[in-house]
Structures are given as structure tokens and as C-alpha cells.
Amino acid sequence: MTDPNSFERHRYDVIVVGAGGAGLRAAIAAHDAGAKVAIICKSLLGKAHTVMAEGGIAAAMGNVWSEDNWKVHFRDTMRGGKMLNHWRMAQLHAQESANRVHELEEWGALFDRTAEGLISQRDFGGHRYARLAHVGDRTGLELIRTLQQRAVALGIDVFMECTVTKLFRDDEQRISGAFAYWRESGRFIVFDAPAVVLATGGIGKSYKVTSNSWEYTGDGHALALDSGASLVNMEFVQFHPTGMVWPPSVKGILVTESVRGDGGVLRNSEGRRFMFDYIPEYFKAETADTEEEADRWYDDKSNNRRPPELLPRDEVARAINAEVKAGRGSPHGGVFLDIASRRSTEYIERRLPSMHHQFKELADVDITAEAMEVGPTCHYVMGGVAVDADTAESVVPGLYAAGEVAGGMHGSNRLGGNSLSDLLVFGRRAGEHAAHGATEREQRAPVSDDDIRAAAEAALAPFEQDGGENPYTLQHELQDVMHSLVGIIRQASEMEKALEEIARLKERAAKLTVEGHRQYNPGWHLALDIRNMLRVSECIALAALERTESRGGHTRDDFPTTDDSWATVNLHCIADGDSVAIRHEQLPAMPDELRELFQET
Amino acid sequence: MTYDLNLRVWRGDASGGELTDYVVPVEEGEVVLDALHRLQATQTGDLAVRWNCKAGKCGSCSAEINGKPRLTCMTRLSIFEPGETVTVTPLRTFPVIRDLVTDVSYNYEKAKKVPTFSPEPRQADGTYRMQQEDVQRGQEFRKCIECFLCQSVCHVIRDHEENKEAFSGPRLFLRYAELQMHPLETNDHRDAAREESGVGMCNITKCCTEVCPEGIKITDNAIIPVKEHVVDRSYDPVVWLGRKIFRRSSDD
Ligand code: SF4
Ligand code: SF4
Ligand code: FES
């Protein structure tokens, strides 16, 4: 069963792991650059988590507000991330996203339009101008379909329902291939390839309440770590302020920020728009302090400031958390999100059709007539593989990363809408550079039989072990640990406890037992995914314990303020055998001409 | 409120299988997928089910519930009578891989045959101009989450394996309609619609429209216009000649 010669084997220039927005865009770019490329994805093509993205793609096209340009977008992004973003990534992102959106249109995407026939743009938290290109509230689906159809039209090979468990390196520690199994049959595949683009998304499945799908088990993060790359900013996990809270079965499912962008407001049980009580010093100058001003802003952005409901997500999530803790929450432990009393039924149905449908079907709530109940849900990890800003290559030659699995771009907190644009901008860059890197590499050493055999044995281990542990139980326990000990508000004693728990879970994970055989067996798949979830959870807990301040998506009860001595420090996680070690690194310094953008307010 | 649900699930693979009875504790507000997940986590660790979003947005979790093709994540348990047994079987039109997971590659093969979108060039300022009215028709079709429920319910292929070769099915007819109505498309795809998609075999029973979880009016808004277009093109030799010579305008 572990004879390397019996495995299916393929040779490519570039392997893309993941078929969300970043993966598809990378594959298209690699193909266009002349590489022989394959996409490997855990689900069927077109099901990736990107389809869940609702609000839009942030791009300073200036279609609605001509004052907008890349510099404003850059500034918003850096401030949203509390200046911890990699400046060069944020710059490239702001400069290139408009072109990436136009390209989608050329491939068939049908965005909502302005009266002039241009792509319409909507308001979102942290963005100075209406900036998000959108299709109702199903923008992610449009993005995926467009890229999926493009990739199919180009004839790119796709290995669907196929999971990568290991990356191979040659004697010089350069990438040489990947090991995977078909979920359908359980059979193994070996890929020989000098370049791998990781586009595996995030880690949300390590948390109990999350908007993320089952695929989000931190695979790419773990593969990179085990190949010698470092993970940066792992302490920063974004809790989206508005997830559904009721009924229990839908707890965590996303309620798009567009509800607030399109006029919705948050209220507590007393009916108060409590966000006015939580405007931080940092954003005072640009945030409205009366309801009247906030309401005027939707139509007149030049003379009014933004409503506090549209502060960056970390601020809003913390505020909701505090209101609920203070006993002013809604019946099911959230707060009220009200658009019904502020916009017409026709407007809500047109702008937010899928939210309307989702609440009606799953919660018996008609959002055109009553308020929704919402609360924070684990949504996105800012941390990820540390890469070169221009090429998306990690320190491991031949290993690239783009999208959520890559770190740096969003600093300590990501603005809504900046994810879809990130996928496109850095997906394309990663694909193109991977293609060049691969075609330039002259000598390609084949993956060694010993390495393949070891990978196969590791993958089959859960069938051999007879410790009797159920993978589903283990996953639930890990989710509880992360949710309650390394969640939205943190403190040292809890995180130390979490690390102890994770160590124990790691031991138990080595004794997992799975039922049945290798054919389409979710229990086995989970047993393998859990290793990645544990590895990533350890990174998050360690980095969060190390950073003794509060900033963006990392809030500490024991160090509640932002500390300037941490302003230029990035934490990098690296593999240390089976454990994780932490390294402090200096944040790359921004050139003066960009720094000047922050002088004015 | 917790209660015990009688759940009957088809277990097996390509070589055969059977309906198996389980009792699963469930809670108020839950959907069929929740019950399947709980069954998987506590009693049948290797139960094969597909899902991703659990919010009706990805189209992964399709199955037949009491004989009707549905999304398991959007089917609330409250629609069943108390004490009623809920039976979940794999989509009938596609070959079973294991348990509730079917081989849907038919749909992906058919998608490869859809002609490539070929837009007119951008305007001088690098943009395209389209009015909301003009994109709206296509936007309806692009809401499709590829759950393949319409494909599974369509009688042309539901029990007729032999028709699969020539017939692409309602999901794919949306794609042809989308191209035909796209404001920027420059090619005429009627040959493809007629020859590759087999739209002529559809006899407008509207079963596909009825099951679509996105509420897309597949038959009225996509299939009938595509059929009319194909007929128009097949029988009018003057128009046919004109098409060959001139590029069609974007909105005919
Ligand atoms: S209307 Fe046509 S495509 Fe739809 S189910 Fe009936 S025969 Fe099939
Ligand atoms: S058209 Fe409707 S039923 Fe058919 S695949 Fe798309 S969403 Fe599903
Ligand atoms: S899981 Fe996505 S539609 Fe049901």
C-alpha cells in the first residue's frame, strides 16, 4: 500500500493548492505565463469558501466618488491594520485592484452598474469612499464563477476533491513536488513540480463559532511551516462583528457588512445606537459623533463623517462583545442589526437579496420588517505565510502563497472588501512569478521514493492506530479551547492554559482511530486535517501570548492598550520539530513619500 | 428543545447499498445537514456527505429528502411532522460514489463544452459601459450555485442514462442563455446551443424551475429564449447568411 511505484504520478511546472479566488487567479496567471499548471482542491470546483464572500471587491476605481484613488485606499488599508501591514503589499494591492476588477469584466462578470453604466461601488467599514464593486450581496460567487469559467476555457487541469498532505523539497531545500490523496477513492497521487502556490485560505475551523467552511483547517499554513517557511502575524484573528446568533445551528454564519454599508445600524436591548459610545481616539477625527451627521454621510461624504457602525471590524466586534457582557444584548446573546426601519423593502430586497433569503429560510426573520440578531464570529486570519511582497514567494525557493494563507498584507486587521481584491492582486502575482521561477529552474530532481513512502505512511497512520480517539470529538474540544481561551478577548493565564490543552490534544491526535476504509471517508480526512488545525492553533496561541499589547484583531485584557514599542515588531512562527518557535522581526520601513500620506487627516 | 429524529439514510457505494435507520437527537431550528453531521460525529464516523457553506450558497449539500431533490443545509426539520421519518438518499441522476456522495462529473464535462465568452473591446478609458437593465437578465442566471438539483430532477436524464451524451441539462442551458444575453458578447452561439447542448430535447415541463433553490426561472427566462433563438436561426436562411457575414449586434 505504500509502494511509491504504485501511485498515480504527474509532472507540472506549477501546482496550485486551492481553488478559491487566489488559487484560480494564480492558475490563470501561471498558464498565461506559459507554465504547465494544475489546480488541486479539497472540494468540487466552484465550492471554495470565496463563494461566501458577500459585500464586494475593494478597488479605488472612483466610479462613484471621483475623489477616490489608490493613495486613499492605501491609507485606509494601513490605518485599518493599525499600521502593521507590509507597506509594499498594501501599496501593490491598492494600485492594482482596479485593473483586476476590470479584467473580471472582460471574462464575463456582470457587476451592478451606476447610472452612467460603470461598475457600481458600495460603502464599507473603514473605507473613506464607496469603493466595493459588487453584485448584490453575492460578489464572491460572481468572482468564483468568472474565474472558474475562465480556467475551464483555458483547459487548466483541475484535481477536484483531492487533498495535499505534504510538500517535498530537493537536497537544496527547494520545492520539488507534493503528495496528495483523492478523497473519492483514498488513493495517493504524487506531483513532481518545482513551484507550488499555496492558496488554501484560512483557519476558522479551529474555532467554535465561525463563518468558515470545513475546508478551513489551516492546511497551507501547516504545509508552509513544515517546509521551512515562517508564518507572520498569527496572533491576529478577525472576528467579524456580525454573524447570525440564532437558531443555534446557524450560529456564526456571516451577515454581510453591506447591511451596515447600505444603511443598517446596530442597537442594544435599550434601542440605543451604542457604536457612538465606542469611537476610539484613533478614528475620532473621521467618525461622526451624532446620529444626524452619520445619517447625512451616506449622501454627502464631503461634509460629514462616517457612521461609527462603519468603523473597522475589530472595533465593532469588541463593542458588540462589551454590550453583551454588560447585559444589554439581544435575547439570544447578540445585538440588533436594524435595516428594516431605515430603508425601504424594495431597496433591501434589491441590495441584500441573499441576506433576505438566508434569514427567512434559516431563522424565520424577515429583515425588511424586523431587526436581525447578530454577534461576532471567527471570520479571517490576518496571519499567514511570510512572502516577498512583489513575487509572493516565501523564504523556501519555489513556495509561493496568496490570499488568506499569506500574511502581511492586512497587518493587524483586514478591512472588509480588501480580501477579494487581495485574492486577485496577489493570486495573479504568485501565479506569474511561480511560472517564471519554474521555467527558469533547469535541473529538477525527482521526488525521492523514501520521501514518498514516508508521506504515504503518515497519511495512513489513522487506520493503523488503535487509541480509540474519535476525530470529531477531538475537533470539538479544540474548537472549545480556541474559542474560550484564545478568542476575541485574551489574557496570559488563559492562553497558557490553551497551550497546555493543545499539547494534550496533540498527544491524543496521535492515537486517533478511524472507522471504515479509504473510500470517501470524512472521518479519515478529518483525522489528517486535525494535525494542521493543531499546528496552526499552537501558532496563534503562542504569538498571542507573546504580544503584550492590544492591536487590531488581538485584544488583551491584561494589556488593554496599543503599545508603541510593538508598532514595528512582527512575530514570526517557525517550526521547531513538532513544536513552534517564535522570532521577533522588524517591520519593513515605509518610504518617505508614502509616509507623507499619513500626515494629513 | 431537543428531541429524537428518526433518520433513514442510504448507505452504500457503486456496488449497492441500503436504507439504514438511525435515531439522532436534534434541536429546535436545525436543518437536515445538522442531523447528518451529528450522526457522523457520534455514530457513523465514515458517513460520506458533501457540504461547504451551510448557508445555501455553495450548492454542495444536495441530496434527495423524502424523494425530493433539496439542499440539506436549507431544509429545516420543522417542515416535517413530529415523529415523521426523514429519508435522505443520494441524487438519483448521478452515479453513487458512497452514501450521499454522487459522481457529478457529468456536469463538469458538459461545462467544458460551453463556448468561451468573447467580449467586444474595452472603451478608450479602459472600462465597459453597460446599463443595469442590460446586465440584470444575465445576473439572474449567474445566481446559480451549481447544486445540480435541476439536473437531477430533469426527466430527460433522470432515468435515461442514454440521453446524457446528447443533453447538457437545465444548469447548462443557463450558460447558453447567459452568453446569448450578455451585453458584451460578440459571437453567435446558436450552433453550439443546438448541437452541443441538446436543448431541443427539453419539453418544458418546468420541473427544473420548481426545485431551483435560487428561484431562477430556468424554463421561462433561459430555456425558452434559447429554444426560440435556435429555431429562429435554424429556419431562417436569410438571417443565417447574415449571421455568417456580419457580427451580430450585442443585444439581439
Ligand atoms: S423544463 Fe426541460 S430542462 Fe427543465 S426539467 Fe423539464 S425537460 Fe428538463
Ligand atoms: S439552476 Fe438552480 S437548481 Fe440548477 S444548479 Fe443552478 S442553482 Fe441549482
Ligand atoms: S452546504 Fe453550501 S449549499 Fe448547502
Side-chain angles (χ1 to χ4, degrees):
Chain A
M1 259 196 306
T2 54
D3 172 14
N5 297 315
S6 68
F7 301 152
E8 183 181 343
R9 196 150 179 167
H10 299 273
R11 182 176 296 275
Y12 285 96
D13 296 322
V14 177
I15 296 285
V16 178
V17 188
L24 289 168
R25 191 62 190 84
I28 292 168
H31 173 95
D32 289 348
K36 185 169 182 260
V37 55
I39 299 172
I40 310 175
C41 52
K42 290 211 284 188
S43 287
L44 296 171
L45 186 60
K47 308 300 181 193
H49 197 56
T50 309
V51 303
M52 291 291 286
E54 291 157 354
I57 313 172
M61 295 184 286
N63 292 351
V64 179
W65 295 89
S66 57
E67 298 90 328
D68 201 11
N69 60 52
W70 77 262
K71 289 179 183 161
V72 188
H73 190 183
F74 168 75
R75 181 177 174 278
D76 289 347
T77 300
M78 291 294 301
R79 284 179 53 85
K82 295 275 158 67
M83 304 304 283
L84 210 65
N85 320 49
H86 191 310
W87 66 268
R88 177 66 180 158
M89 293 177 94
Q91 179 190 28
L92 289 169
H93 167 259
Q95 288 173 330
E96 295 178 1
S97 53
N99 278 340
R100 299 286 81 74
V101 172
H102 284 132
E103 205 164 62
L104 291 180
E105 211 168 38
E106 205 162 77
W107 296 340
L110 289 175
F111 292 101
D112 289 347
R113 320 303 299 181
T114 63
E116 294 76 44
L118 295 169
I119 295 173
S120 170
Q121 300 186 267
R122 72 156 38 113
D123 285 314
F124 238 57
H127 292 281
R128 180 134 157 205
Y129 297 109
R131 186 178 283 149
L132 270 67
H134 58 96
V135 185
D137 54 0
R138 56 161 191 85
T139 315
L141 178 66
E142 185 72 10
L143 187 149
I144 282 284
R145 254 344 146 243
T146 304
L147 294 176
Q148 172 184 355
Q149 289 167 5
R150 179 75 186 170
V152 169
L154 294 174
I156 292 171
D157 291 343
V158 184
F159 293 76
M160 290 190 227
E161 301 204 299
C162 185
T163 305
V164 173
T165 60
K166 172 106 193 126
L167 300 181
F168 297 120
R169 282 169 296 158
D170 62 16
D171 294 340
E172 288 160 59
Q173 303 306 315
R174 303 177 304 189
I175 289 292
S176 61
F179 185 83
Y181 64 88
W182 287 110
R183 298 178 64 221
E184 176 178 334
S185 61
R187 293 215 181 83
F188 295 136
I189 326 179
V190 176
F191 294 92
D192 291 280
V196 169
V197 178
L198 295 173
T200 51
I203 57 94
K205 266 295 149 189
S206 295
Y207 282 83
K208 192 161 89 183
V209 178
T210 176
S211 63
N212 292 176
S213 88
W214 71 272
E215 297 195 283
Y216 269 37
T217 50
D219 298 4
H221 289 82
L223 289 169
L225 202 62
D226 291 338
S227 305
S230 74
L231 305 183
V232 65
N233 290 346
M234 289 305 287
E235 63 275 37
F236 300 110
V237 176
Q238 179 168 82
F239 288 80
H240 193 291
T242 61
M244 292 177 81
V245 296
W246 195 91
S249 92
V250 298
K251 198 165 179 161
I253 292 180
L254 189 64
V255 180
T256 175
E257 188 164 333
S258 318
V259 177
R260 283 171 284 136
D262 290 350
V265 296
L266 293 163
R267 296 186 201 279
N268 62 18
S269 60
E270 294 160 4
R272 183 175 165 72
R273 272 178 78 173
F274 59 83
M275 281 309 302
F276 285 98
D277 308 333
Y278 294 90
I279 303 169
E281 203 49 54
Y282 195 75
F283 291 109
K284 266 227 160 86
E286 56 201 76
T287 309
D289 49 15
T290 64
E291 294 196 22
E292 293 69 31
E293 180 181 0
D295 288 348
R296 284 195 305 266
W297 173 85
Y298 289 96
D299 299 316
D300 177 5
K301 292 186 172 45
S302 321
N303 298 309
N304 298 288
R305 292 167 299 173
R306 199 159 50 214
E309 281 88 0
L310 290 176
L311 280 165
R313 288 174 174 173
D314 51 333
E315 309 288 354
V316 183
R318 268 191 300 273
I320 294 178
N321 199 63
E323 283 295 304
V324 174
K325 270 207 171 140
R328 292 187 293 269
S330 67
H332 299 103
V335 294
F336 295 105
L337 174 58
D338 169 29
I339 189 162
S341 74
R342 298 179 45 89
R343 294 289 184 267
S344 71
T345 300
E346 186 274 327
Y347 178 90
I348 299 170
E349 284 176 351
R350 180 165 49 84
R351 302 279 291 195
L352 303 163
S354 96
M355 280 307 102
H356 185 234
H357 182 75
Q358 175 176 318
F359 271 88
K360 210 173 205 142
E361 294 292 319
L362 295 172
D364 292 322
V365 167
D366 177 0
I367 68 166
T368 66
E370 47 193 319
M372 301 159 245
E373 278 186 71
V374 296
T377 178
C378 177
H379 185 56
Y380 188 91
V381 63
M382 271 64 76
V385 183
V387 291
D388 177 82
D390 287 80
T391 66
E393 192 172 19
S394 69
V395 292
V396 181
L399 183 62
Y400 302 76
E404 190 171 350
V405 67
M409 158 71 209
H410 304 287
S412 70
N413 172 55
R414 173 175 72 76
L415 293 186
N418 272 357
S419 177
L420 294 186
S421 41
D422 169 10
L423 305 181
L424 296 170
V425 168
F426 293 102
R428 173 181 153 275
R429 285 188 162 268
E432 197 173 293
H433 287 281
H436 293 153
T439 37
E440 276 159 21
R441 175 105 62 96
E442 273 156 21
Q443 270 154 9
R444 300 187 185 185
V447 178
S448 85
D449 281 358
D450 285 346
D451 286 348
I452 298 173
R453 207 173 288 114
E457 279 164 10
L460 289 175
F463 288 108
E464 313 296 322
Q465 297 153 186
D466 53 3
E469 289 277 6
N470 173 344
Y472 300 95
T473 310
L474 219 63
Q475 183 190 26
H476 288 158
E477 288 182 31
L478 174 64
Q479 289 168 341
D480 275 334
V481 168
M482 293 305 286
H483 182 82
S484 47
L485 303 178
V486 202
I488 183 163
I489 310 288
R490 304 160 170 179
Q491 56 177 304
S493 58
E494 292 184 347
M495 289 183 282
E496 280 157 5
K497 180 141 177 271
L499 284 166
E500 285 165 25
E501 295 284 344
I502 290 169
R504 261 195 289 278
L505 287 168
K506 268 162 70 175
E507 280 169 30
R508 286 169 57 192
K511 290 184 263 173
L512 285 174
T513 306
V514 295
E515 285 175 58
H517 50 74
R518 284 165 67 179
Q519 195 196 10
Y520 217 111
N521 184 343
W524 177 40
H525 305 162
L526 179 58
L528 298 178
D529 290 345
I530 273 191
R531 299 174 183 171
N532 300 336
M533 297 168 75
L534 284 163
R535 207 133 172 70
V536 169
S537 297
E538 186 173 347
C539 291
I540 295 172
L542 263 183
L545 181 62
E546 183 82 2
R547 183 173 285 270
T548 46
E549 67 155 351
S550 291
R551 183 185 295 267
H554 170 65
T555 306
R556 290 192 57 162
D557 237 359
D558 44 359
F559 297 92
T561 53
T562 303
D563 176 348
D564 282 348
S565 66
W566 278 103
T568 53
V569 179
N570 275 150
L571 296 176
H572 286 248
C573 295
I574 42 173
D576 178 11
D578 281 339
S579 300
V580 177
I582 293 263
R583 206 171 58 207
H584 289 232
E585 274 186 30
Q586 212 45 33
L587 192 69
M590 197 188 301
D592 289 341
E593 70 267 23
L594 290 178
R595 194 164 289 286
E596 279 164 19
L597 295 173
F598 297 88
Q599 306 308 326
E600 37 131 7
T601 44
Chain B
M1 194 191 65
T2 307
Y3 66 100
D4 284 338
L5 176 76
N6 296 318
L7 192 60
R8 188 172 290 164
V9 183
W10 193 89
R11 306 287 320 263
D13 55 30
S15 63
E18 58 186 5
L19 288 169
T20 312
D21 285 296
Y22 301 97
V23 176
V24 184
V26 292
E27 279 173 47
E28 190 191 349
E30 288 193 325
V31 293
V32 171
L33 185 60
D34 289 314
L36 292 169
H37 277 157
R38 190 157 307 120
L39 175 63
Q40 187 186 52
T42 54
Q43 303 177 41
T44 59
D46 58 348
L47 173 69
V49 289
R50 280 200 184 105
W51 71 286
N52 282 71
C53 70
K54 212 174 166 292
K57 294 196 168 67
C58 74
S60 304
C61 63
S62 307
E64 307 207 349
I65 303 176
N66 294 350
K68 188 174 175 222
R70 307 183 71 123
L71 298 177
T72 59
C73 76
M74 295 298 279
T75 305
R76 292 183 70 180
L77 294 169
S78 54
I79 67 169
F80 305 104
E81 295 298 320
E84 184 180 347
T85 298
V86 176
T87 305
V88 191
T89 50
L91 292 179
R92 186 158 104 201
T93 303
F94 309 115
V96 164
I97 293 173
R98 195 174 170 204
D99 302 338
L100 300 176
V101 172
T102 56
D103 176 357
V104 291
S105 54
Y106 162 76
N107 306 287
Y108 288 93
E109 288 309 315
K110 294 295 182 188
K112 288 185 189 160
K113 296 191 176 164
V114 177
T116 306
F117 174 64
S118 22
E120 46 188 62
R122 294 192 203 187
Q123 304 199 342
D125 63 358
T127 68
Y128 285 112
R129 306 266 167 154
M130 291 182 261
Q131 291 306 313
Q132 185 65 33
E133 304 85 87
D134 297 328
V135 300
Q136 226 139 337
R137 288 189 296 178
Q139 283 184 335
E140 180 191 8
F141 308 146
R142 293 176 70 88
K143 286 196 309 195
C144 169
I145 56 173
E146 300 201 324
C147 63
F148 308 132
L149 293 177
C150 57
Q151 303 285 81
S152 186
V153 85
C154 176
H155 69 99
V156 178
I157 46 173
R158 185 161 170 93
D159 289 308
H160 295 280
E161 194 60 35
E162 70 280 7
N163 285 341
K164 282 188 179 166
E165 178 67 36
F167 186 77
S168 291
R171 158 55 185 138
L172 276 301
F173 299 152
L174 290 183
R175 294 282 310 276
Y176 291 90
E178 194 182 299
L179 281 178
Q180 182 177 300
M181 298 176 197
H182 199 297
L184 303 177
E185 177 59 65
T186 56
N187 284 339
D188 184 349
H189 296 298
R190 272 172 280 178
D191 277 340
R194 192 185 55 224
E195 283 155 25
E196 304 276 7
S197 83
V199 72
M201 293 165 83
C202 155
N203 50 5
I204 323 191
T205 57
K206 301 200 183 184
C207 314
C208 50
T209 302
E210 272 162 37
V211 294
C212 177
E214 285 294 303
I216 303 170
K217 301 222 165 29
I218 309 173
T219 338
D220 290 352
N221 293 353
I223 297 180
I224 293 175
V226 169
K227 274 175 172 278
E228 280 172 353
H229 235 89
V230 169
V231 170
D232 164 45
R233 159 81 151 78
S234 307
Y235 293 104
D236 188 339
V238 179
V239 173
W240 185 83
L241 261 180
R243 302 291 176 206
K244 286 273 177 203
I245 298 165
F246 305 107
R247 226 180 63 180
R248 66 192 263 260
S249 75
S250 56
D251 58 354
D252 73 354

